[in-house]
Amino acid sequence: MSRLRIDRSPSVPRLRLLRTYWVVVILCIIGLWPFGGLTIPHLIFFGALSMGLYASYSRYILPLIVYFSMILLYWIVVPFLQDRIGVGYYTWRGDVPDFGPMALLFVMTHFLGILAGFQFKRISLSHKEIPELGFSFVGVAFILALLVALMAFVGFETIMLPRVEQETGEAQNYVILLRNIAKILPAFLVAYFILEADNGLKKNTRVAIFILLASCLLIVSNPVNTSRFLSLFGLFVVILTYSIKSSRLSVLAWLLAFAPAYAITLLGITSAMRSGIQKVDLTRAFQSLQSLEFSSYSIFLDALKLDSFSQGNYLFSHLFIIVPRAIWPGKAESIGIYTAERSGYVYNNVGLNSFFNSYADFGFVGLFLFSMLFGVLAKNLNPTFELASFRNRRFMYGVLFTGMTPMFFRGDLSTAMLALYPAILVYEAIRFSTRFRFMSGVR
């Protein structure tokens, strides 16, 4: 009988120097505000965002640290740069829209909803012991075989070719789900290795297995053949599990603090990778500031100007996007495309913030309640307060939820859900399969 581990919470770093850094950054941005061409309501929004950032770092609320950092990137840093270089997404003029009172009301309702959700008492689960199982060779082998089978089923060309060379056209949702499962599998296998490799593996065996799984991740889900947010999500899952497992929470916090600065380059480079690595250069990377990659701010402001969303039912249609249209004929299409077509965009493949779906269907009440749900989840699925074990569902769902927050903010909701469902299935499949091993032992 193997020994059992008792669930406990790790110590959280105080990050005094980092909080001082954030105060300096906030004051510098406020000082530069008059030169950014941005509005006073936008400055008020930045003040509220700054308080959220400071509080999240102070209490180490990892999902909100990531989420607020993405807001800072897409709705503060990016529009500042776009205003400086004269970016425009419209067929008749070249600029970004102003952040007005309606936008301020939206984001303040969103923030207040998150805060309200965070006031709910954290749901306490029974502190059941987590069995310490040896590393499962048979489970990893089964998942790798499943990966090969999925790749064969959806077509190796949709997995391996550069994104611009992959088959175009509207794929069925079940095909997208299977493809996303194949893309996410390697990341969770690496996460399993990071968390459980010390349970019975010798050093040379560890090195061999790590090279195999890391190579699989690099080949199957790199930004050349995989959508950026999916490939970066997988990488983020690996970074989170390693940082928490090795107690490098201070390093992780500093990396996230600088994310709005280096993410501009990172997202630009991974965007340029759609045409292959040989096409990547800094000029092409920074041109992404004028592409759909960074259209989130503009599309949000233009969506607020629309009188109505006649199709309706956007929230539940996107939450349950995997339900076939044959069963649900009234399922709504993309809300981002609907907005872009009516706002005169030069392209319509844009992502609208996931929380806008609730506003489009139910107004500010729906926005508040959906944001409150997000706040409840952020409080209950904070992986830094959980035992770092692959068998600990609360920890792994916290990692998964944290890794998904950039998708939830960038949008749209349907895209995020088409990544969330496969991620859940992948985790549960690996968790189940790795219960078994050739040698006798605990199951």
Side-chain angles (χ1 to χ4, degrees):
M1 192 79 168
S2 65
R3 60 188 176 87
L4 300 176
R5 297 184 292 194
I6 307 299
D7 192 3
R8 59 181 175 81
S9 298
S11 59
V12 174
R14 294 185 178 181
L15 303 174
R16 291 178 180 175
L17 182 60
L18 182 54
R19 283 181 283 168
T20 302
Y21 158 81
W22 270 119
V23 172
V24 173
V25 168
I26 290 166
L27 292 176
C28 289
I29 292 178
I30 291 174
L32 292 172
W33 204 269
F35 305 100
L38 305 177
T39 63
I40 295 301
H42 201 184
L43 178 61
I44 298 172
F45 155 60
F46 173 67
L49 174 62
S50 300
M51 289 189 288
L53 272 168
Y54 189 86
S56 298
Y57 275 94
S58 298
R59 301 176 63 181
Y60 215 101
I61 310 163
L62 192 56
L64 292 186
I65 288 175
V66 177
Y67 187 71
F68 289 146
S69 296
M70 290 301 100
I71 298 179
L72 180 63
L73 167 66
Y74 281 109
W75 285 8
I76 299 293
V77 176
V78 166
F80 182 91
L81 295 175
Q82 288 175 334
D83 182 80
R84 292 290 84 198
I85 64 178
V87 168
Y89 294 105
Y90 311 105
T91 54
W92 66 87
R93 74 176 197 263
D95 62 354
V96 291
D98 286 335
F99 190 100
M102 192 67 174
L104 179 61
L105 181 59
F106 181 100
V107 296
M108 294 305 290
T109 302
H110 179 44
F111 286 173
L112 288 173
I114 294 175
L115 179 62
F118 217 78
Q119 302 312 305
F120 282 82
K121 185 178 179 181
R122 191 170 184 265
I123 300 172
S124 58
L125 303 177
S126 58
H127 292 279
K128 67 177 183 179
E129 297 171 331
I130 300 173
E132 184 159 330
L133 307 179
F135 188 87
S136 175
F137 289 96
V138 65
V140 171
F142 172 78
I143 295 299
L144 287 174
L146 177 62
L147 173 62
V148 174
L150 284 171
M151 292 171 66
F153 182 81
V154 301
F156 285 99
E157 67 280 358
T158 66
I159 300 292
M160 306 306 295
L161 290 177
R163 281 178 281 159
V164 294
E165 298 179 24
Q166 292 178 16
E167 294 181 6
T168 58
E170 230 17 71
Q172 295 291 328
N173 280 341
Y174 80 90
V175 175
I176 296 175
L177 282 170
L178 292 176
R179 184 180 63 203
N180 288 354
I181 288 173
K183 294 290 189 180
I184 292 173
L185 266 174
F188 276 86
L189 279 176
V190 175
Y192 171 72
F193 173 85
I194 291 171
L195 293 168
E196 309 298 336
D198 57 347
N199 294 331
L201 287 184
K202 295 181 179 179
K203 182 178 180 180
N204 291 340
T205 306
R206 288 186 195 178
V207 172
I209 294 177
F210 176 75
I211 292 174
L212 171 65
L213 297 181
S215 299
C216 183
L217 174 62
L218 181 64
I219 293 170
V220 173
S221 55
N222 64 79
V224 173
N225 58 32
T226 306
S227 60
R228 293 172 304 283
F229 279 94
L230 210 57
S231 60
L232 294 177
F233 163 70
L235 178 62
F236 198 22
V237 165
V238 171
I239 292 173
L240 286 176
T241 52
Y242 174 76
S243 299
I244 299 173
K245 172 71 173 180
S246 58
S247 299
R248 286 175 166 81
L249 295 181
S250 295
V251 176
L252 178 62
W254 278 101
L255 286 174
L256 292 171
F258 282 95
Y262 63 72
I264 295 284
T265 303
L266 178 63
L267 291 171
I269 290 175
T270 53
S271 179
M273 282 183 179
R274 69 171 69 244
S275 302
I277 296 178
Q278 70 280 3
K279 299 291 183 67
V280 176
D281 56 54
L282 286 179
T283 300
R284 190 183 294 267
F286 282 105
Q287 283 176 345
S288 66
L289 281 168
Q290 305 179 63
S291 71
L292 60 88
E293 175 65 48
F294 294 109
S295 63
S296 173
Y297 175 77
S298 291
I299 196 70
F300 160 67
L301 296 177
D302 284 318
L304 288 173
K305 298 175 184 177
L306 297 180
D307 294 332
S308 65
F309 293 85
S310 56
Q311 188 175 14
N313 199 26
Y314 286 105
L315 178 60
F316 293 107
S317 292
H318 289 193
L319 281 176
F320 304 105
I321 187 67
I322 59 174
V323 178
R325 195 169 294 278
I327 299 176
W328 189 359
K331 188 169 64 172
E333 300 286 353
S334 168
I335 190 171
I337 292 177
Y338 178 91
T339 302
E341 288 177 343
R342 284 153 184 80
S343 301
Y345 275 53
V346 294
Y347 46 73
N348 60 18
N349 184 20
V350 292
L352 181 58
N353 179 273
S354 295
F355 292 91
F356 201 93
N357 296 52
S358 57
Y359 170 77
D361 287 345
F362 306 108
F364 285 106
V365 173
L367 171 63
F368 181 84
L369 293 176
F370 196 46
S371 302
M372 188 168 66
L373 173 62
F374 182 80
V376 171
L377 291 174
K379 185 170 187 176
N380 284 274
L381 295 178
N382 186 358
T384 56
F385 293 147
E386 303 296 334
L387 175 67
S389 167
F390 198 83
R391 308 208 65 76
N392 183 356
R393 277 196 175 95
R394 193 153 184 170
F395 170 76
M396 285 305 301
Y397 277 105
V399 169
L400 192 159
F401 178 74
T402 302
M404 281 287 170
T405 51
M407 288 193 199
F408 288 134
F409 177 74
R410 167 64 164 72
D412 65 19
L413 182 59
S414 61
T415 303
M417 299 310 293
L418 284 173
L420 178 61
Y421 290 128
I424 293 173
L425 287 173
V426 165
Y427 167 66
E428 291 295 340
I430 296 177
R431 187 179 187 276
F432 176 77
S433 66
T434 52
R435 293 177 59 209
F436 305 98
R437 49 204 33 83
F438 288 119
M439 304 300 292
S440 61
V442 178
R443 290 190 178 184

